Amino acid sequence: MPRLHEVGEGEVLRRLIAARGPWSGVVVGPGDDAAVLAPSAGHQLVATVDAFVEGRHFVAGLGTPGDHGARLAAASLSDLAAMAARPRWALLSMGLSPDHDLAALLAFQAGVRDALAPFGAGIVGGNLSAVEGAEWFDLTLLGEAPAGQAWTRAGTRPGDWIAVTGHPGRAGAGLRVARQITGAAGAPEWETLLASWLRPTPRVTLALALAGSVGTRAAIDISDGLALDLSRLCEASGVGATLEHWPPDPLLERAAAALGTTHDALRFGPSDDYELILALSHDRLEDLGRAAAAHGVPVAFVGRVTGEPGRISVDGAPLGPSGFDHFRS
Ligand SMILES: [Mg+2]
């Protein structure tokens, strides 16, 4: 396939738009100056944006363009899951080298499109720019929630339970294994860890199944690491947390041994897992367990909310916020 500079902006846009298809709730779609969208009656818009920059959020040669697109979509989908909002419309803005391969670009957009579609969202607009340095991809995702019912990070109180979905730490561990262990990419024993990073599953379906439940008092998604994101939830709610008796993850134990680190450094440290941390009242634990089982989502009840603001402990030992910091690391 040709490079972008060989076909020109107009043709690139035509090919991108043709591959997006029509979407519901779109009054005026691609081809005009802006999209006109029709939210459902009685709902509020919930908006999020995520940028992926070459060399930081995706690595050329690690994963396909489709994988990179799916991860970009997962980042925004996960934010809407953390707010219990239903994804609907996405705007995709991209800074691309004129040498970018058109087929690779279409594969990237297909990765975004195919990751959004199962959750009810489609790409309804976007923007293209040529760049000379690192390429970037930026996805704005709009969702909706019944008025007043979006979850937030604030609202949990001492005595509530803390639950996490999936296996936090695996995405970060998978990325480290792929970067640091020769031959790990493609090796069967690291396949599950690598897939956690390359193809995360945002927990939109579970969140929507729980949406409106008065038992979910606060939520956040894990996009920078469990310790950091839990500390953000605690800060917003003015509480602390104590985690106890959470069985180790065998895949993290194996990765820790291979990487020369500890299981807990991987579990609590920098990792964009796109899992959810939920704080809920004691009488709703069974509801969450049932909903998670019905949707095939692993869930662990890992601890309790405490009245000591800012203090987070794991089996009695203090846990610092050690997640990913975009400007420090
Ligand atoms: Mg988030």
Side-chain angles (χ1 to χ4, degrees):
M1 267 234 197
R3 310 268 158 183
L4 303 187
H5 70 85
E6 294 173 298
V7 293
E9 182 181 351
E11 176 63 11
V12 173
L13 271 176
R14 198 189 63 74
R15 298 285 290 270
L16 285 170
I17 290 169
R20 287 172 191 168
W23 206 256
S24 69
V26 179
V27 182
V28 177
D32 218 302
D33 293 286
V36 179
L37 309 169
S40 306
H43 286 60
Q44 292 169 330
L45 281 176
V46 183
T48 183
V49 63
D50 272 287
F52 269 23
V53 179
E54 184 181 15
R56 292 189 71 86
H57 302 89
F58 63 97
V59 186
L62 195 54
T64 64
D67 290 329
H68 299 155
R71 287 191 71 243
L72 176 61
S76 292
L77 287 164
S78 182
D79 278 330
L80 291 196
M83 308 293 289
R86 183 178 300 283
R88 295 213 56 190
W89 306 290
L91 302 169
L92 179 60
S93 184
M94 301 180 278
L96 302 165
S97 159
D99 256 343
H100 202 104
D101 183 77
L102 178 57
L105 179 60
L106 290 168
F108 177 90
Q109 181 185 258
V112 175
R113 180 198 64 202
D114 295 348
L116 293 174
F119 301 112
I123 303 169
V124 300
N127 180 59
L128 284 182
S129 173
V131 294
E132 286 176 13
E135 298 191 306
W136 52 265
F137 300 86
D138 185 281
L139 191 74
T140 297
L141 185 59
L142 302 173
E144 57 185 25
Q149 288 190 24
W151 294 340
T152 69
R153 298 175 182 185
T156 185
R157 23 193 133 130
D160 285 351
W161 282 75
I162 298 167
V164 297
T165 63
H167 306 281
R170 284 191 182 181
L175 178 59
R176 283 181 64 177
V177 162
R179 280 182 160 159
Q180 293 175 31
I181 299 176
T182 311
E189 72 261 37
W190 299 117
E191 199 180 334
T192 305
L193 273 189
L194 269 174
S196 300
W197 182 71
L198 274 179
R199 289 283 181 169
T201 307
R203 302 305 185 183
V204 176
T205 310
L206 177 66
L208 292 178
L210 297 168
S213 151
V214 289
T216 306
R217 293 212 173 108
I220 188 171
D221 74 312
I222 304 174
S223 54
D224 292 316
L226 178 51
L228 181 55
D229 289 312
L230 178 59
S231 75
R232 288 168 171 156
L233 182 142
C234 286
E235 190 182 341
S237 289
V239 298
T242 151
L243 310 189
E244 277 178 323
H245 310 307
W246 186 4
D249 177 343
L251 291 189
L252 292 186
E253 288 190 314
R254 175 150 30 105
L259 293 166
T261 184
T262 66
H263 170 275
D264 281 3
L266 294 176
R267 172 175 272 176
F268 296 106
S271 188
D272 45 353
D273 295 297
Y274 303 124
E275 297 292 351
L276 293 178
I277 304 172
L278 300 167
L280 60 169
S281 57
H282 178 261
D283 58 342
R284 301 310 286 260
L285 297 188
E286 279 181 34
D287 292 354
L288 173 57
R290 258 195 305 272
H295 293 94
V297 179
V299 66
F301 297 96
V302 298
R304 307 287 290 268
V305 174
T306 72
E308 294 180 83
R311 186 181 149 80
I312 300 176
S313 66
V314 177
D315 293 320
L319 179 71
S322 57
F324 182 76
D325 182 314
H326 290 265
F327 296 107
R328 281 182 206 258
S329 38

